[in-house]
Amino acid sequence: MITNKKPRSSDTDSNYMRDDRTEMSEDDDRSPPSDSIANGSCPTRTCTPGSGSGSGSSSIPEYSAPYPDRVLENVLENVLWFLTSRKDRNAASLVCRSWYRVEAMTRSDLFIGNCYAVSPERATSRFTRVRSVTLKGKPRFADFNLMPPNWGAHFAPWVSATAKAYPWLEKIHLKRMSVTDDDLALLAESFSGFKELVLVCCDGFGTSGLAAVASKCRQLKVLDLIESEVSDDEVDWIMCFPDTETCLESLIFDCVECLVDFDVLERLVVRSPSLKKLRLNRFVSIGQLYRLMVRAPQLTHLGTGSFSPSEDVAQGELELDYVSAFAACKSLVCLSGFREIVPDCLPAIYPVCANLTSLNFSYANISAEQLKPIISNCHKLQTFWVLDSICDEGLQAVATTCKELRELRVFPFDPREDIEGPVSEVGLQAISEGCRKLQSILYFCQRMTNAAVIAMSKNCPDLVIFRLCIMGRQRPDHVTGEPMDEGFGAIVMNCKKLTRLAVSGLLTDTAFAYIGKYGKIVRTLSVAFAGDSDMGLKYVLEGCPRLQKLEIRDSPFGDTALLSGLHHYYNMRFLWMSACRLSHQGCQQIAQALPHLVVEVIKHEDTVHMDDYADTLYMYRSLAGRRHDVPQFVSIL
């Protein structure tokens, strides 16, 4: 439906949804539809000094109940220790003022699903003992070139506020945030005991910022850069890690598109005896990978880099015993990378296949014949990402062996609409028959049938996530010529645990009627090029009470459909509608009717000038009101 912002082919304007290859799920949030915007887990019962300092501002303040019922509040504090889900903690905070106060004081993990949903000052004043912060910024469609650059989601106000409020902070996880080198420098200087930085689909920073983190965060355990855009400032950030033994447990930099000094990297790996996760970028050759594996046989997660010889390959690199190197990594359970794979090198991984629970071939252009010797030994595999180059035959091999499979993602090697795709309903049906424990699937194809989708709904009733992306606009069941309504209807009827759904192909309002009638726990719905009329969206908005995230593009929904959801928008995290039939007047009506909802109308430079319709509507709930960093192409109504 929508292609990734980093397409494989020169066709950068493909019209299909392609999920970003990240590890922070869009459905991690299990919070109820309330205006509690931060959710936590694992609160700390007693005051613990910051890791880098035992006194002063680096220590978490001791909690002391200010009321006569201190005994009761201390008991409550011990009870809240056992509430680890954000949903449960939100519910507890709504019981009464005392519970609200104690829950805030015992929260150690702060989750903000939309960085504009609350101001940093409000969040830090309520939650005063936080050790870990997770922030999400731009909506998911930013990954697919549907949001203009420089829209916002700046990390700067958040790092400034947390530096003052939480000098003992240990962890920061960011997704789709705009991060600068100055932000990373302030982070590195402010948190003396900082241990974990994860940047997923972030941009705006470079190797200079990474160097500041590496040099100043002496207790750093995790530095994960996942699908982020990192500029090359010609700074050797790997060299900035301490010369002494490090605390590193995870180092992921496969998205960094610049050379690293391999000798420096090798010495860093040697100085990191606790290192368990290492994912290398494409500039690391298979010969260099061999040297690292020999140095770090304790690895459990490995991203292989290019998995091909270097351009100026020496004869010795060709003669290395790669099979023995992999065989020595007896703890390896997760394998990814293969950025510029040479298929002749694949037999090297055979010794670890039997132990793998996760295998990512989403960058490896391999055939079914090359896959079969590998997958035939992967009996423990639970997560598998792959390109459609393996064809239906490869998926049949997966179905034969991988009986424990829980998650499958099949990406297109060539995302163009006008080609004959190598996977079809044949592969999907084989997976449904062979992998009956499947819980999540993302499946790109060029042709599909209702019968295959119905079979999956019956064979895999535990599905929580079902995303079927039929590339090519409004393609029907390629056997019967009928719309795909019955297939998607069967999914929402038979998969009682379904919370995330992406629909594609030729769909009428009947499909949306099924979703509204049976999708009672669906939280995230993605729609592209689908629907007959406003009734389709109306069915969804009136029938899906737990809907949190709704993203729609190029569909015939207008003002009537938009206004039908007035009763529900305050309970949703966001609504995105682009290239639909929304008038500026209709968007204004929403803003007037729901004053506590932020209604943004985004203008795209490359769109045809149409005064009657809004290019993109993005609206979200917020306790902070209108944001202060609005670019010129955004109008907040």
Side-chain angles (χ1 to χ4, degrees), residues 324-625:
S324 295
F326 275 95
C329 295
K330 299 185 182 302
S331 300
L332 201 61
V333 295
C334 179
L335 198 56
S336 61
F338 309 100
R339 296 272 170 155
E340 297 172 359
I341 188 171
V342 172
D344 289 344
C345 297
L346 276 175
I349 72 171
Y350 290 173
V352 299
C353 289
N355 205 38
L356 291 179
T357 59
S358 177
L359 178 60
N360 185 344
F361 275 154
S362 64
Y363 287 94
N365 181 19
I366 60 175
S367 67
E369 290 305 314
Q370 292 162 342
L371 174 69
K372 286 178 182 179
I374 297 170
I375 210 69
S376 62
N377 292 305
C378 296
H379 296 283
K380 296 181 180 179
L381 202 64
Q382 296 185 20
T383 300
F384 185 46
W385 294 12
V386 70
L387 285 176
D388 61 7
S389 58
I390 66 168
C391 305
D392 288 328
E393 183 182 356
L395 292 174
Q396 289 170 329
V398 173
T400 299
T401 302
C402 305
K403 302 303 180 181
E404 299 299 317
L405 197 67
R406 302 298 197 277
E407 178 184 349
L408 173 67
R409 300 190 188 189
V410 181
F411 296 98
F413 177 74
D414 186 343
R416 290 177 299 172
E417 297 181 37
D418 57 346
I419 63 170
E420 186 71 19
V423 298
S424 68
E425 77 280 358
V426 175
L428 187 75
Q429 181 137 356
I431 291 293
S432 75
E433 293 173 354
C435 307
R436 298 193 176 225
K437 296 181 180 180
L438 199 68
Q439 297 174 357
S440 174
I441 185 168
L442 170 65
Y443 194 88
F444 283 85
C445 62
Q446 295 282 358
R447 58 192 186 279
M448 184 52 59
T449 64
N450 281 302
V453 179
I454 292 170
M456 171 151 281
S457 76
K458 294 178 178 178
N459 293 330
C460 304
D462 290 333
L463 277 173
V464 176
I465 299 173
F466 183 79
R467 291 182 289 170
L468 174 60
C469 301
I470 305 171
M471 296 185 293
R473 301 190 184 194
Q474 299 183 333
R475 290 193 174 180
D477 181 315
H478 84 96
V479 173
T480 67
E482 295 293 320
M484 291 296 299
D485 298 342
E486 298 304 317
F488 285 103
I491 290 291
V492 291
M493 278 188 274
N494 297 328
C495 301
K496 306 299 184 183
K497 301 176 183 179
L498 193 74
T499 62
R500 186 174 182 182
L501 176 66
V503 299
S504 58
L506 178 62
L507 297 175
T508 71
D509 289 341
T510 300
F512 296 95
Y514 283 134
I515 295 171
K517 184 176 182 180
Y518 298 103
K520 298 304 179 184
I521 64 170
V522 170
R523 292 173 47 84
T524 302
L525 176 64
S526 304
V527 181
F529 309 105
D532 286 336
S533 69
D534 287 343
M535 282 303 299
L537 183 54
K538 186 176 180 181
Y539 288 136
V540 171
L541 290 171
E542 293 182 351
C544 299
R546 298 194 186 182
L547 190 64
Q548 287 279 293
K549 292 175 278 189
L550 178 57
E551 43 196 28
I552 304 171
R553 65 162 298 185
D554 296 273
S555 296
F557 305 133
D559 293 349
T560 301
L562 180 66
L563 293 169
S564 69
L566 281 172
H567 66 288
H568 188 57
Y569 292 141
Y570 275 146
N571 293 329
M572 292 177 62
R573 187 185 296 180
F574 72 80
L575 168 66
W576 171 286
M577 296 181 71
S578 60
C580 295
R581 297 177 182 174
L582 302 178
S583 70
H584 290 279
Q585 182 180 2
C587 297
Q588 187 68 55
Q589 285 182 266
I590 291 290
Q592 292 172 348
L594 302 172
H596 297 294
L597 201 69
V598 177
V599 181
E600 295 193 9
V601 176
I602 303 172
K603 177 67 176 177
H604 297 262
E605 292 182 358
D606 57 349
T607 55
V608 179
H609 184 67
M610 294 185 298
D611 289 333
D612 293 339
Y613 294 109
D615 287 353
T616 297
L617 170 69
Y618 176 50
M619 59 187 194
Y620 50 90
R621 64 191 185 197
S622 176
L623 301 179

Side-chain angles (χ1 to χ4, degrees), residues 248-266:
L248 274 179
E249 296 175 2
S250 177
L251 179 61
I252 295 177
F253 64 98
D254 50 355
C255 64
V256 179
E257 288 292 318
C258 57
L259 286 166
V260 296
D261 186 321
F262 178 75
D263 291 333
V264 173
L265 175 62
E266 185 177 26

